[in-house]
């Protein structure tokens, strides 16, 4: 065997070893991820989902994704299209539940807008509009809620009726109960996601979709 053949042979062995190492590493990472998931405790379902919580998808879907979100949160705005993509990809397999987490000034009034919109069957278009145009009203320290109302009105909300409905005692009850559940679950940042009862840590847009897909495929 000449020197050239020896080099080719050595290169092939090197590539094979690299490929084998990559497969082993990927398997190891997958195993570690499964171990972490198995070790993650399941949260109390009563704290995660309330009967009144806004939700999308079948109530009996095999997979439930709960998002604790703040209407004024920039990260929540960034993840909104990701959650919409999950709903698009898994329309019957995944139920998405939203919980209010009012960490910013003005967020409680934004929730009242959303709940007033829900009373008019306008929840989703108003939610989409408020998040899409969030930079125009959710100014931290000095939110411009008049602008938020204008945005909701442009999305189809009957403002005259909503301005009265926002003070409905049931909406105050939702705000209070969600705040209590946020505290009980030790939610400290938004968005926080729970997938089938397990809190997701260190997630990204891609990993969130991948985790949901894995849950669907193994449900």
């Amino acid at each position: 065997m000449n020197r050239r053949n020896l080099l080719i042979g050595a290169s092939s062995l090197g590539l094979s070893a690299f490929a084998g190492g990559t497969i082993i590493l990927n398997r190891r990472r997958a195993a570690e991820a499964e171990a972490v998931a198995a070790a993650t405790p399941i949260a109390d379902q009563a704290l995660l989902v309330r009967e009144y919580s806004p939700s999308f998808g079948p109530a009996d879907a095999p997979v439930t994704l709960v998002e604790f979100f703040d209407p004024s949160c920039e990260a929540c705005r960034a993840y909104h299209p990701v959650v919409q993509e999950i709903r698009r990809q898994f329309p019957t397999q995944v139920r998405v539940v939203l919980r209010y987490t009012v960490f910013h000034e003005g967020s409680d009034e934004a929730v009242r807008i959303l709940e007033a919109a829900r009373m008019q069957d306008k929840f989703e278009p108003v939610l989409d509009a408020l998040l899409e145009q969030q930079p125009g009203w959710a100014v931290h320290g000095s939110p411009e809620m008049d602008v938020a109302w204008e945005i909701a009105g442009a999305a189809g909300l009957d403002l005259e009726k909503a301005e009265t409905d926002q003070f409905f005692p049931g909406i105050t009850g939702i705000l209070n109960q969600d705040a209590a559940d946020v505290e009980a679950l030790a939610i400290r940042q938004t968005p926080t996601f729970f997938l089938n009862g397990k809190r997701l840590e260190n997630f990204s847009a891609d990993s969130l979709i991948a985790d949901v897909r894995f849950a669907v495929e193994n449900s």
Side-chain angles (χ1 to χ4, degrees), residues 10-104:
S11 298
S12 299
L13 287 172
L15 289 172
S16 297
F18 176 78
T22 300
I23 292 172
I24 292 172
L25 181 59
N26 288 340
R27 288 176 178 171
R28 184 181 302 162
R29 286 175 176 169
E32 289 173 352
E34 290 179 4
V36 169
T40 303
I42 295 179
D44 184 347
Q45 187 67 16
L47 296 175
L48 284 180
V49 180
R50 295 290 177 179
E51 185 178 353
Y52 61 76
S53 300
S55 66
F56 307 95
D60 60 350
V63 174
T64 297
L65 180 69
V66 181
E67 178 187 4
F68 284 80
F69 88 108
D70 185 329
S72 302
C73 166
E74 295 96 332
C76 296
R77 177 176 182 261
Y79 271 90
H80 186 57
V82 180
V83 174
Q84 289 180 310
E85 178 63 18
I86 288 171
R87 291 174 54 198
R88 188 193 68 78
Q89 289 191 27
F90 311 105
T92 61
Q93 304 99 320
V94 177
R95 179 191 185 197
V96 174
V97 179
L98 300 180
R99 302 298 306 276
Y100 300 121
T101 313
V102 290
F103 285 165
H104 295 93

Side-chain angles (χ1 to χ4, degrees), residues 45-213:
Q45 187 67 16
L47 296 175
L48 284 180
V49 180
R50 295 290 177 179
E51 185 178 353
Y52 61 76
S53 300
S55 66
F56 307 95
D60 60 350
V63 174
T64 297
L65 180 69
V66 181
E67 178 187 4
F68 284 80
F69 88 108
D70 185 329
S72 302
C73 166
E74 295 96 332
C76 296
R77 177 176 182 261
Y79 271 90
H80 186 57
V82 180
V83 174
Q84 289 180 310
E85 178 63 18
I86 288 171
R87 291 174 54 198
R88 188 193 68 78
Q89 289 191 27
F90 311 105
T92 61
Q93 304 99 320
V94 177
R95 179 191 185 197
V96 174
V97 179
L98 300 180
R99 302 298 306 276
Y100 300 121
T101 313
V102 290
F103 285 165
H104 295 93
E105 184 179 351
S107 292
D108 56 341
E109 187 170 349
V111 169
R112 289 185 182 277
I113 294 173
L114 289 170
E115 285 300 307
R118 185 147 64 126
M119 294 171 71
Q120 297 181 27
D121 198 26
K122 299 288 185 181
F123 181 84
E124 190 164 8
V126 171
L127 173 66
D128 291 345
L130 286 180
L131 289 178
E132 181 181 350
Q133 301 179 57
Q134 185 194 80
W137 64 269
V139 182
H140 296 329
S142 57
E144 299 183 19
M145 300 313 298
D146 288 347
V147 175
W149 280 101
E150 291 173 5
I151 292 169
L157 184 66
D158 181 336
L159 293 180
E160 184 176 354
K161 185 175 187 304
E163 286 173 0
T164 299
D165 289 343
Q166 68 167 314
F167 299 112
F168 178 65
I171 296 179
T172 301
I174 289 172
L175 279 163
N176 291 340
Q177 185 61 68
D178 277 16
D181 291 343
V182 163
E183 183 63 27
L185 291 164
I187 306 296
R188 296 291 180 262
Q189 63 182 24
T190 53
T192 292
F193 292 98
F194 288 81
L195 182 59
N196 281 349
K198 294 187 176 184
R199 188 191 302 246
L200 299 181
E201 305 286 357
N202 302 318
F203 55 85
S204 65
D206 290 340
S207 70
L208 180 59
I209 295 175
D211 286 345
V212 170
R213 180 179 294 108

